[in-house]
Amino acid sequence: MILRVSAAFAKRFKCYLSDQSAKIPQEPRLDAWSCHYVTVRRKPLVIVMNDATLHAFMFSVTGVKDFPDMWRRLLARIAELWSRHGAEFDPNNQSVILLGRTNRQLIGTMNDVVNLIRFYDDRAKINGTELDLEEMEKRSNETPYSMLGYHFPCERIKIMLGRHTEDGE
């Protein structure tokens, strides 16, 4: 598995890139994920986006001290996502290579998700409620992105995992 991580993510989880000197092109692979660390209302979050489908999920990393702990949580979320779409993923049989993010369009898409989260967090704050991360995932995955030809990540992942075709069959 390939994890493309932001500088903020690498710093927060004290992890080192596998090859810091090379800018390896970021291809849209199903086994590649982009990860970013952000705080929202002083709550630490990790945002993870599949490079091929742009399907995103996010989770709180409160209490997570290092990369191995974060890695276990990330693998559990990927396994749950694959299972939900009828695909198999063995979290106990994974190796990882950490690389920097190089695809500016994907970085921009992830920044759009961060801005979406911040917008809805501001609304929740005004209403006196907490940010609903499940709702944020749903909203980001039901947003058509130009990088996908204005298709939806929630549909793209179904296609990539073989659940249905482009025609919706």
Side-chain angles (χ1 to χ4, degrees), residues 48 93 111 138 143 145 168-169:
V48 182
N93 190 23
N111 287 338
K138 183 178 182 228
T143 299
Y145 294 110
E169 298 176 4

Side-chain angles (χ1 to χ4, degrees), residues 85-156:
H85 289 91
E88 290 189 30
F89 179 84
D90 181 4
N92 298 316
N93 190 23
Q94 298 295 320
S95 59
V96 65
I97 182 171
L98 295 171
L99 300 172
R101 298 182 305 167
T102 58
N103 184 323
R104 291 193 179 278
Q105 193 173 14
L106 184 55
I107 293 168
T109 302
M110 288 190 80
N111 287 338
D112 289 344
V113 172
V114 170
N115 289 330
L116 181 78
I117 291 168
R118 291 191 192 282
F119 172 78
Y120 282 100
D121 181 57
D122 287 343
R123 286 185 57 183
K125 192 177 186 180
I126 289 168
N127 295 330
T129 61
E130 290 294 316
L131 178 68
D132 183 347
L133 291 181
E134 287 182 31
E135 180 65 23
M136 291 299 86
E137 286 180 21
K138 183 178 182 228
R139 287 181 185 277
S140 69
N141 293 319
E142 292 177 350
T143 299
Y145 294 110
S146 64
M147 195 171 163
L148 294 176
Y150 294 99
H151 288 99
F152 303 92
C154 60
E155 295 299 321
R156 197 46 66 184

Side-chain angles (χ1 to χ4, degrees), residues 60-78:
S60 172
V61 288
T62 301
V64 176
K65 300 292 182 212
D66 56 14
F67 183 75
D69 189 19
M70 195 289 310
W71 175 241
R72 285 187 291 278
R73 291 177 188 221
L74 175 66
L75 288 174
R77 287 299 307 269
I78 294 171

Side-chain angles (χ1 to χ4, degrees), residues 11-68:
K11 181 179 178 183
R12 167 62 175 82
F13 296 106
K14 302 172 190 83
C15 53
Y16 298 97
L17 301 183
S18 299
D19 190 350
Q20 294 179 345
S21 62
K23 286 201 171 199
I24 301 168
Q26 190 166 355
E27 301 294 330
R29 298 170 43 137
L30 193 57
D31 67 340
W33 298 83
S34 292
C35 303
H36 184 51
Y37 171 78
V38 65
T39 56
V40 176
R41 213 186 311 178
R42 299 201 294 174
K43 291 181 184 168
L45 301 175
V46 166
I47 300 168
V48 182
M49 183 176 281
N50 182 267
D51 287 4
T53 66
L54 303 186
H55 195 282
F57 59 84
M58 54 224 55
F59 55 94
S60 172
V61 288
T62 301
V64 176
K65 300 292 182 212
D66 56 14
F67 183 75

